[in-house]
């Protein structure tokens, strides 16, 4: 697929309007959608406009956009995306669309294209001498089984040969297109097998009949052995006793020691236990007062004397003692003195070192232009350009490569001027404003 663009301005009509019948149809179509969803009718309205005029012009796109309250660019996006919309004039009597996708190409679509070149015009999207015929190559038209094929308006013509396509083109050129039967051009039913149906030959009916199997043949019945006499009914089997296989096992003291409890030889009386506790208190000189860590005369792990650096890691900064008011202590840290080399003026960023963007150009006298009309320039970027001294479209259009490098380095967006084509846009705006921009680029600025 290539980029699809609107037709040249020389063939664009000045305006477009639906006729009375199509206008009523369009209003009814728009009313089918809920409030606020009328834009969903854009494709039906564009197709109806194409059926009225034969193609979709710029005026058509603008008229449909105004009817649906849409921006022009949104309708233009739809019209250029779908190849069903013709963006330039087509033949008044027939526009032949040749399917060129793989199945059709394998079955002879290339020969059909040569027929169009010889009978209509050497190039696609061009009218013939009297403006009645045109042609183009399209993607799959959805009849691969009957390839190759062409589409003319809303009808398809399938199973074509070069000779048959010449006959069809001649008929439409003479105004006798209604004499050509759409669909397959050979002896087949729609997309069924060529030469007739070979399976499912019985016609289905709505009547249902119960299937009754036929009786066996007499010889089979005679060969079958005589049936043995019926045996006496067997005695019922005794009922099986229920099992406990699925039940949980019973919990006993042997299987659960916790239920079993403390062994008898390990149990002591409460009096004996209390006597042992009192004896331990006497041996430990416990007087009932709470323990005081780091107390006077403490020994063992409570002594600070045995700790290196008072219990702190050697060389680790110590906490300052708490302030008199009880505020938290801080750790005193020494900061090394940093001696930086003198700054090079040539490498100083004017934005970072001087507190803002420094002008690079002298702003011309007069009111500034609206730089936001240049695609890629927003309100913030416009303000930054104005701070550099760029206020006119003509300044942007006249920028040299050195000027562009300075601007991009100062604003830190390398390559944006060329990527968004600022110079060409600014030159058109400086030459003729918004109207000239529409003529050159085919859309409103921004």
């Amino acid at each position: 697929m290539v980029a699809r663009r609107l037709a040249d301005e020389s063939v664009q009509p000045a305006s477009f309007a639906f006729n009375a019948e199509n206008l009523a149809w369009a209003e009814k179509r728009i009313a089918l959608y809920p409030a606020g969803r009328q834009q969903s009718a854009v494709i039906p309205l564009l197709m109806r406009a194409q059926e009225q005029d034969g193609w979709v012009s710029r005026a058509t796109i603008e008229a449909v956009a105004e009817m649906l309250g849409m921006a022009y660019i949104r309708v233009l996006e739809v019209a250029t995306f779908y190849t069903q919309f013709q963006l330039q004039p087509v033949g008044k009597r027939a526009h032949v669309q040749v399917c060129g996708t793989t199945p059709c190409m394998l079955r002879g679509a290339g020969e059909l294209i040569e027929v169009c070149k010889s009978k209509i015009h050497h190039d696609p999207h061009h009218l013939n001498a009297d403006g009645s015929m045109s042609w183009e190559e399209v993607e799959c038209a959805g009849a691969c089984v009957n390839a190759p094929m062409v589409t003319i308006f809303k009808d398809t013509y399938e199973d074509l040969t070069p000779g048959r396509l010449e006959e069809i083109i001649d008929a439409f050129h003479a105004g006798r297109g209604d004499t050509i039967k759409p669909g397959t051009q050979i002896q087949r039913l729609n997309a069924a097998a060529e030469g007739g149906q070979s399976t499912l030959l019985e016609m289905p009916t709505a009547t249902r009949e119960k299937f009754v199997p036929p009786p066996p043949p007499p010889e089979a019945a005679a060969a079958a052995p005589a049936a043995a006499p019926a045996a006496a009914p067997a005695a019922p089997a005794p009922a099986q006793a229920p099992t406990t296989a699925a039940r949980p096992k019973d919990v006993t003291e042997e299987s659960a020691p916790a239920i079993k409890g403390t062994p008898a030889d390990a149990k002591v009386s409460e009096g004996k236990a209390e006597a042992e506790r009192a004896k331990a208190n006497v041996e430990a000189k416990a007087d009932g007062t709470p323990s005081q860590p780091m107390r006077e005369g403490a020994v063992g792990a409570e002594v600070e004397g045995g700790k290196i650096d008072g219990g702190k890691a050697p060389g680790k900064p110590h906490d300052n003692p708490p302030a008199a008011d009880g505020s938290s202590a801080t750790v005193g840290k020494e900061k090394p003195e940093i001696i930086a080399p003198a700054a090079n003026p040539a490498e100083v960023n004017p934005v970072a070192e001087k507190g803002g963007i420094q002008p690079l150009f002298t702003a011309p006298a007069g009111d500034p232009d609206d730089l936001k009309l240049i695609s890629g320039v927003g309100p913030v970027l416009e303000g930054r350009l104005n701070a550099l001294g760029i206020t006119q479209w003509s300044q942007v259009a006249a920028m040299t490569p050195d000027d562009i490098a300075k601007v991009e380095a100062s604003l830190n967006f390398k390559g944006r001027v060329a990527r968004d084509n600022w110079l060409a846009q600014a030159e058109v705006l400086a030459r003729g404003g918004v109207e000239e921009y529409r003529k050159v680029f085919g859309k409103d600025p921004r």
Side-chain angles (χ1 to χ4, degrees):
M1 296 296 291
V2 297
R4 286 163 44 83
R5 304 184 183 279
L6 298 181
D8 188 80
E9 290 294 331
S10 60
V11 298
Q12 293 285 351
S15 61
F16 168 83
F18 282 114
N19 57 35
E21 178 183 355
N22 287 337
L23 179 60
W25 180 93
E27 292 174 349
K28 182 178 179 181
R29 177 64 55 175
I30 295 173
L32 295 178
Y33 297 93
R37 297 290 186 270
Q38 293 84 356
Q39 296 181 1
S40 300
V42 60
I43 291 180
L45 264 62
L46 284 175
M47 183 58 68
R48 193 73 169 194
Q50 177 171 288
E51 293 175 355
Q52 175 178 305
D53 286 3
W55 62 294
V56 176
S57 63
R58 181 195 304 278
T60 303
I61 292 174
E62 294 174 352
V64 171
E66 292 174 358
M67 290 183 67
L68 300 177
M70 299 174 64
Y72 292 165
I73 185 62
R74 298 305 179 198
V75 184
L76 178 65
E77 289 171 347
V78 174
T80 55
F81 180 82
Y82 294 103
T83 56
Q84 66 189 13
F85 297 120
Q86 303 298 328
L87 302 183
Q88 47 194 330
V90 298
K92 296 180 179 179
R93 292 181 179 172
H95 177 67
V96 182
Q97 295 177 306
V98 184
C99 177
T101 318
T102 304
C104 285
M105 190 60 69
L106 294 176
R107 297 272 292 173
E111 299 177 3
L112 302 186
I113 292 175
E114 293 300 323
V115 171
C116 293
K117 289 182 177 180
S118 62
K119 300 286 289 184
I120 301 175
H121 194 281
H122 181 270
D123 298 320
H125 299 289
H126 285 72
L127 300 174
N128 64 348
D130 59 3
S132 62
M133 304 289 291
S134 60
W135 74 278
E136 66 172 319
E137 181 182 352
V138 298
E139 295 299 316
C140 182
C144 305
V145 176
N146 297 358
M149 59 161 298
V150 301
T151 304
I152 301 178
F153 299 123
K154 294 185 177 181
D155 294 321
T156 58
Y157 300 86
E158 307 147 12
D159 294 306
L160 293 175
T161 61
R164 181 54 179 163
L165 180 58
E166 290 182 357
E167 296 173 357
I168 293 174
I169 292 176
D170 290 339
F172 275 95
H173 185 256
R176 296 182 289 102
D178 56 345
T179 63
I180 304 298
K181 177 181 70 70
T184 178
Q185 302 298 304
I186 61 175
Q187 295 298 321
R188 80 157 86 199
L189 176 63
N190 299 328
E194 183 177 354
Q197 195 171 356
S198 58
T199 60
L200 303 176
L201 301 179
E202 296 180 1
M203 295 298 295
T205 64
T207 304
R208 294 190 178 186
E209 298 179 357
K210 181 179 180 181
F211 175 74
V212 178
E219 56 273 12
Q240 185 177 0
T243 65
T244 60
R247 290 185 180 181
K249 300 295 187 247
D250 295 333
V251 179
T252 63
E253 291 185 357
E254 288 75 14
S255 61
I259 298 179
K260 196 181 296 186
T262 306
D265 56 353
K267 294 181 180 181
V268 297
S269 64
E270 185 177 351
K272 182 179 179 181
E274 288 294 330
E276 292 177 353
R277 184 176 65 82
K279 180 181 178 182
N281 288 341
V282 171
E283 292 175 353
K285 298 181 180 180
D287 57 1
T289 60
S291 175
Q292 298 180 2
M294 305 304 294
R295 63 188 183 276
E296 284 292 327
V299 295
E302 296 180 352
V303 178
E304 290 190 350
K307 300 179 182 178
I308 299 177
D309 197 17
K312 299 185 181 295
K316 184 176 181 181
H318 292 199
D319 289 347
N320 295 332
D325 57 357
S327 59
S328 61
T330 59
V331 177
K333 297 182 181 179
E334 296 182 357
K335 296 183 179 179
E337 182 180 0
I338 299 176
I339 302 176
N344 184 356
E347 298 180 354
V348 174
N349 186 331
V351 177
E353 300 296 332
K354 297 183 180 180
I357 299 176
Q358 300 302 310
L360 299 177
F361 308 94
T362 302
D367 296 334
D369 291 331
D370 187 0
L371 299 183
K372 296 189 298 297
L373 295 181
I374 299 175
S375 178
V377 178
V380 175
L381 193 52
E382 181 187 40
R384 299 176 69 183
L385 290 173
N386 291 341
L388 292 177
I390 301 175
T391 60
Q392 302 286 344
W393 295 323
S394 57
Q395 287 181 272
V396 179
M399 283 198 301
T400 64
D402 291 339
D403 295 337
I404 295 174
K406 291 179 182 179
V407 171
E408 291 181 341
S410 178
L411 301 183
N412 195 22
F413 55 63
K414 186 176 181 180
R416 186 165 185 174
V417 174
R419 184 176 68 248
D420 292 336
N421 199 15
W422 283 14
L423 272 60
Q425 295 185 68
E427 189 276 331
V428 172
L429 288 169
R431 186 173 71 239
V434 176
E435 293 299 327
E436 185 68 16
Y437 191 100
R438 290 196 186 103
K439 293 180 181 179
V440 174
F441 295 104
K443 61 180 182 179
D444 287 341
R446 293 296 295 175

